[in-house]
Amino acid sequence: MNLTILTWRDDFVTVHVDASAHIEDLKAILEAETSLPKHQQTLVFGTRILADGMTLGSCGINDGDIIQLVPSNQQQQQRQEPRANDAAMELNADGSAKNPAALMSSLRSDPQKMLALESNSPFIAKAIKEEDISAFQQGLRMIKQVNAEKFAKEAELQKYMALAEADPFNPEVQKKIEELINQKNIEDNYDHAMEFSPEVFSQVIMLYVDMEVNGVPVKTFVDSGAQMTIMTQEFAEKCYLTRLIDKRFQGMAVGVGSSKIIGRIHQAPMRVAGQYITTSITVLEQKSGPQFIFGLDNLKRHQCCIDLKSNELVFGSCDAHLPFLPENEFPTDFREHIDKVSEADAKRNLETPSAGAASTSVPNVGRDAPPPAATTVPTPSAPLPGDMGGKLERLMALGFSKDQCEAALKMAGGNEEYAASVLFEQ
């Protein structure tokens, strides 16, 4: 186990010893570290002077504990002086302080001890800084419990090791020793991670961005582990898209849980960072959870990059950059965080580009407005015959005739996505 030694010079020495080591063994190590002869050393744990014949384990010393080292003559002087901190350092049987306010005050006034607590027991240091007596006492009890469990497991391991020496071929004893050693390795691995990479224990926040679906703002959950982009039936109603749900695509969505698939919206207009895109969305019956999830299908379709270094979602298809929301802006109630937007306001939001947005018009999907005139659609360069043939085939695969597809492509200036929107409006 690792022990921290606070010397009379107010510096720290870290040593690694076994719980079965004797106090005189620890003093020999400290003599090499501090140049103080071991016969002149006095070790103090709490308010107790450690005798040479005792082992560290029998003194109740556990991994991470702090022991004070003072020269013997200095200790004798301290014995003659009244120590006001003795009463403050007294603990109850459960590990809590008898006078928590006094102990917190004593620790707070010692910068070295606070530094050690911030390194080894940050929750105790936090309780002291915030003057939270309840959290301080709870932390002390937890440390006592953890140390008692470690000591009990170490004692159990030593007991079975002794049994193995007496009967080395006993399979039950060998099996139990293997279990105890494996558990000890797990705990050592945990302690090592806590000491050298504590960030792995922090909570990982999810990725949300602001988007608009058919003119309705929504905090969108970006999930590259979701195969499809999905919205709830309730959110589809708020976006005025229910009339476009193709119920031929019903089924069951199965992942961590399961939910009934109501159908699919083949083309839905969205606005991301002022840029307009169209997406296909699967509509689920589920009542809880995020109302809109931007899944892998559209992440790939729009060549998106989840840039965690810049903390943004980058759309390669339209060169849009969406910053990920900070944790304080996450929706706490997924069903309530979406403001009710009238159909007229949603239409106005969709037709009014934000500052710096492209001026591209998008068909009013899900509404009774007429299709846009051909002049409102940016006219690309004349497509190659082979390219037009591929677009025709893909549009006809949606169930429309060749004449309808040709007319839609002509109206959309050769833009396949807008042509599909026009077809679904018919």
Side-chain angles (χ1 to χ4, degrees):
M1 58 185 176
N2 292 316
L3 300 178
T4 300
I5 311 300
L6 175 61
T7 73
W8 73 99
R9 294 184 295 232
D10 289 335
D11 56 3
F12 289 90
V13 176
T14 301
V15 296
H16 182 78
V17 291
D18 292 329
S20 58
H22 289 79
I23 300 301
E24 57 264 31
D25 298 331
L26 177 58
K27 288 183 177 181
I29 297 174
L30 294 176
E31 180 177 353
E33 295 285 346
T34 65
S35 300
L36 180 65
K38 63 180 182 179
H39 66 273
Q40 295 182 13
Q41 297 179 21
T42 299
L43 297 179
V44 182
F45 180 59
T47 59
R48 176 184 178 188
I49 297 177
L50 304 179
D52 289 349
M54 303 180 67
T55 64
L56 295 172
S58 64
C59 294
I61 299 173
N62 296 286
D63 185 43
D65 283 343
I66 299 175
I67 299 175
Q68 187 178 5
L69 168 63
V70 295
S72 298
N73 56 354
Q74 182 177 340
Q75 180 63 25
Q76 290 171 2
Q77 292 174 6
Q78 291 177 355
R79 288 182 190 174
Q80 296 170 3
E81 299 174 358
R83 297 184 58 189
N85 288 337
D86 284 354
M89 297 293 291
E90 292 183 4
L91 302 178
N92 296 312
D94 64 350
S96 61
K98 290 186 177 180
N99 189 345
L103 179 55
M104 291 171 68
S105 177
S106 174
L107 294 172
R108 192 184 303 111
S109 63
D110 191 328
Q112 296 291 345
K113 290 182 180 178
M114 287 299 297
L115 185 63
L117 285 173
E118 288 175 357
S119 176
N120 298 321
S121 305
F123 51 93
I124 295 287
K126 180 181 178 183
I128 293 173
K129 291 179 180 178
E130 297 177 354
E131 298 184 0
D132 189 340
I133 292 180
S134 175
F136 179 69
Q137 293 284 68
Q138 183 179 358
L140 290 177
R141 293 189 188 96
M142 185 177 69
I143 290 176
K144 175 69 174 180
Q145 181 180 356
V146 170
N147 289 339
E149 290 176 355
K150 286 185 177 180
F151 182 74
K153 289 177 181 178
E154 184 68 28
E156 186 178 13
L157 178 59
Q158 295 299 328
K159 182 186 75 171
Y160 277 97
M161 292 296 287
L163 291 174
E165 289 182 3
D167 185 5
F169 300 105
N170 188 325
E172 295 298 327
V173 172
Q174 295 294 338
K175 182 178 179 180
K176 186 64 178 179
I177 290 175
E178 181 183 11
E179 292 177 1
L180 293 172
I181 291 175
N182 287 339
Q183 184 60 37
K184 187 175 185 302
N185 290 337
I186 293 172
E187 292 174 357
D188 289 345
N189 183 260
Y190 172 84
D191 293 339
H192 190 276
M194 282 292 290
E195 181 176 359
F196 296 104
S197 53
E199 67 277 4
V200 301
F201 296 96
S202 61
Q203 183 180 6
V204 178
I205 62 174
M206 307 308 285
L207 302 177
Y208 285 87
V209 294
D210 282 323
M211 292 183 176
E212 284 185 15
V213 179
N214 205 32
V216 179
V218 60
K219 295 189 184 302
T220 303
F221 177 33
V222 180
D223 186 3
S224 61
Q227 185 178 7
M228 304 175 295
T229 296
I230 63 174
M231 65 165 46
T232 63
Q233 185 177 14
E234 182 179 359
F235 183 53
E237 294 171 358
K238 292 181 179 179
C239 294
Y240 311 102
L241 292 172
T242 52
R243 63 190 289 266
L244 292 180
I245 298 176
D246 188 345
K247 296 187 177 180
R248 293 176 297 176
F249 289 80
Q250 290 184 353
M252 289 295 296
V254 180
V256 176
S258 61
S259 181
K260 181 181 178 181
I261 298 175
I262 302 297
R264 182 178 178 183
I265 301 169
H266 301 292
Q267 294 284 331
M270 291 182 58
R271 185 160 67 176
V272 295
Q275 302 287 341
Y276 290 106
I277 62 174
T278 55
T279 57
S280 60
I281 304 173
T282 299
V283 182
L284 301 186
E285 191 180 49
Q286 70 181 38
K287 304 291 184 181
S288 60
Q291 298 287 287
F292 184 62
I293 297 177
F294 200 72
L296 185 61
D297 55 346
N298 280 302
L299 288 171
K300 293 184 68 175
R301 176 182 178 186
H302 294 286
Q303 303 166 17
C304 294
C305 173
I306 298 176
D307 189 343
L308 298 180
K309 183 177 181 180
S310 301
N311 198 40
E312 61 183 6
L313 179 65
V314 182
F315 283 77
S317 61
C318 58
D319 195 28
H321 296 249
L322 279 179
F324 291 121
L325 300 180
E327 190 173 3
N328 65 312
E329 294 185 19
F330 286 5
T332 54
D333 188 326
F334 289 105
R335 300 180 66 184
E336 295 297 328
H337 86 278
I338 301 173
D339 297 331
K340 291 184 178 180
V341 180
S342 68
E343 188 169 2
D345 288 340
K347 178 180 178 182
R348 193 176 302 112
N349 291 341
L350 190 63
E351 293 178 345
T352 306
S354 60
S359 59
T360 306
S361 297
V362 175
N364 295 307
V365 177
R367 306 187 181 98
D368 296 329
T375 55
T376 64
V377 180
T379 305
S381 58
L384 297 173
D387 184 39
M388 182 65 76
K391 293 177 180 179
L392 273 175
E393 290 180 2
R394 288 190 289 273
L395 291 174
M396 291 172 62
L398 297 176
F400 299 101
S401 68
K402 182 177 181 181
D403 292 340
Q404 288 176 309
C405 295
E406 287 179 343
L409 278 171
K410 184 177 180 181
M411 180 181 294
N415 188 302
E416 181 182 352
E417 292 186 353
Y418 295 161
S421 299
V422 171
L423 289 170
F424 280 110
E425 284 239 335
Q426 295 177 355

